[in-house]
């Protein structure tokens, strides 16, 4: 039984939460291990189509646990430090390439190391009231664990530099304006908005969704020609997993004229296999 991670599955959505509200959901080695176990448990379940990640209480996550992740592992020397880094980075990496679409539902504080799972989620929605910050500079380190890279990827050079050098927080609205999240809405409406987006994703062909989310991450670092080539090959590989879905999508549009792909998804319930 996980003590620092909670989850429930309802209507094909897995709601996974950081569950250390008294410690503002900061990430300890125990939490990192438990999160990886939950990732394993949920990834290929047939009753899970979308995964939402949120936090209990007032925080999404206050980043790495300064006591248990930093001080206590540093006391063990390099073996302790590298070991705890491996555990954290392992589940963020797993989440980046997760089989199912993932949505970050940022309900409150989001600091430093929490940018790892934030970036790992395909989509992100924040409460207007949430606060984001690269607080590392405030206690004397640089934003590690990928956080510096993530800030530059998502917000651009000037904003990332300001964010990292001043350690000032920004609210959910500013985070949306800067590109850290897709949208920000009042906290009271956050779950409803995320639910709506999850329901849209549940309508889509799951093989196409996985191929699409991986493609968006991969092509960012490719030249145009390499991306063009990768996309051809990725689609051909996806076809071998799900040839019928694509054919049914074409059939319902071209032969049946029952939907318009420009406006909605085909009816997957009528797909034969
Ligand atoms: N590491 C370790 N403990 C943390 C923590 C962290 N990152 N963030 C919060 N906590 C602990 C506090 O030590 C406190 O523990 P205690 O009750 O045993 O004293 C408890 O969580 C509640 O924190 P508190 O500071 O009282 O909550 P708050 O709501 O007033 O403030 C924050 C919330 C997030 C602004 C504040 O806790 C904070 O600045 N946390 C550190 C953020 C940070 O720099 N993270 C590291 C990024 S790598």
């Amino acid at each position: 039984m996980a003590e620092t991670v909670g989850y429930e599955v309802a209507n094909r959505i897995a709601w996974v939460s950081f569950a250390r509200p008294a410690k503002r959901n900061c990430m300890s080695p125990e939490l990192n291990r438990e999160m990886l176990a939950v990732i394993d448990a949920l990834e290929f379940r047939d009753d899970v189509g979308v995964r939402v990640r949120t936090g209990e209480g007032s925080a999404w996550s206050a980043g790495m646990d300064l006591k248990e992740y930093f001080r206590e592992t540093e006391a063990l020397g390099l073996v302790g430090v590298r070991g705890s880094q491996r555990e954290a980075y392992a589940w963020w990496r797993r989440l980046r390439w997760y089989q199912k679409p993932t949505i970050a539902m940022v309900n409150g504080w989001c600091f430093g190391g929490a940018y790892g799972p934030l970036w790992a989620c395909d989509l992100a929605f924040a409460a207007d009231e949430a606060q984001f910050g690269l607080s590392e500079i405030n206690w004397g380190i640089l934003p590690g664990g990928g956080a510096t890279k993530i800030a530059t990827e998502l917000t651009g050079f000037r904003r990332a530099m300001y964010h990292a050098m001043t350690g000032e927080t920004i609210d959910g609205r500013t985070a949306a304006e800067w590109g850290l999240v897709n949208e920000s809405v009042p906290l009271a409406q956050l779950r409803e908005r995320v639910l709506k987006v999850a329901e849209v994703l549940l309508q889509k062909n799951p093989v196409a969704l996985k191929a699409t989310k991986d493609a968006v991450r991969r092509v960012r670092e490719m030249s145009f020609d390499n991306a063009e080539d990768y996309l051809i090959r990725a689609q051909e590989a996806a076809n071998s997993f799900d040839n019928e879905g694509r054919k049914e999508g074409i059939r319902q549009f071209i032969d049946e004229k029952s939907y318009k792909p420009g406006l909605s998804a085909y009816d997957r319930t009528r797909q034969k296999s």
Side-chain angles (χ1 to χ4, degrees):
M1 278 295 284
E3 289 186 356
T4 60
V5 178
Y7 73 85
E8 59 166 350
V9 177
N11 301 320
R12 306 204 57 234
I13 302 168
W15 301 84
V16 180
S17 43
F18 293 107
R20 289 182 86 201
K23 295 287 181 186
R24 304 302 180 260
N25 298 325
C26 65
M27 290 174 271
S28 61
E30 182 192 10
L31 183 145
N32 292 329
R33 285 191 287 275
E34 291 187 346
M35 199 61 89
L36 186 58
V38 169
I39 282 175
D40 275 336
L42 292 174
E43 186 162 19
F44 293 100
R45 267 175 57 164
D46 289 339
D47 63 340
V48 174
V50 172
R51 178 193 172 104
V52 176
R53 160 165 303 281
T54 188
E56 288 182 13
S58 61
W60 193 65
S61 169
M64 308 322 290
D65 187 317
L66 268 60
K67 177 171 168 284
E68 295 182 35
Y69 179 84
F70 285 107
R71 193 164 66 189
E72 291 178 3
T73 61
E74 279 165 22
L76 303 173
L78 193 57
V79 66
V81 172
R82 289 285 181 267
S84 62
Q85 286 168 338
R86 252 197 314 273
E87 288 171 341
Y89 301 173
W91 74 263
W92 302 344
R93 191 175 306 116
R94 281 287 301 282
L95 205 55
R96 286 202 293 279
W97 304 106
Y98 208 58
Q99 187 65 28
K100 312 289 169 62
T102 53
I103 306 174
M105 182 169 101
V106 186
N107 51 300
W109 303 113
C110 178
F111 284 106
Y115 283 35
L118 179 70
W119 161 251
C121 290
D122 305 320
L123 301 172
F125 293 80
D128 292 344
E129 296 88 335
Q131 292 285 327
F132 294 75
L134 288 180
S135 53
E136 287 87 343
I137 198 70
N138 291 335
W139 61 278
I141 68 165
L142 63 76
T148 297
K149 171 77 170 157
I150 292 160
T152 57
E153 287 282 326
L154 292 178
T155 73
F157 180 80
R158 288 286 174 219
R159 282 173 170 165
M161 195 66 94
Y162 187 88
H163 203 46
M165 290 180 70
T166 66
E168 288 174 12
T169 57
I170 57 173
D171 65 10
R173 281 201 196 95
T174 307
E177 193 190 319
W178 283 19
L180 278 172
V181 296
N182 292 90
E183 268 176 54
S184 152
V185 296
L187 180 59
Q189 293 160 27
L190 183 60
R191 193 178 166 98
E192 189 190 337
R193 176 67 184 125
V194 168
L195 182 59
K196 273 222 162 68
V197 176
E199 283 169 349
V200 168
L201 298 175
L202 287 173
Q203 303 302 314
K204 311 296 184 194
N205 177 319
V207 175
L209 270 180
K210 168 69 170 146
T212 299
K213 56 180 252 172
D214 286 3
V216 172
R217 283 192 193 272
R218 294 280 184 211
V219 299
R220 302 171 62 94
E221 293 172 2
M222 294 181 188
S223 67
F224 192 91
D225 281 358
N226 285 348
E228 202 176 56
D229 188 54
Y230 166 86
L231 294 169
I232 288 170
R233 280 155 221 296
Q235 181 55 51
E236 286 171 358
N239 290 351
S240 69
F241 279 103
D242 177 45
N243 215 10
E244 293 313 309
R246 181 181 56 104
K247 286 183 186 160
E248 180 65 11
I250 295 175
R251 192 188 69 75
Q252 288 180 18
F253 176 53
I254 297 295
D255 303 333
E256 208 174 66
K257 300 192 188 309
S258 56
Y259 83 114
K260 293 181 191 298
L263 304 178
S264 65
Y266 72 94
D267 180 359
R268 290 202 310 113
T269 61
R270 292 192 290 126
Q271 186 176 319
K272 286 186 198 71
S273 58

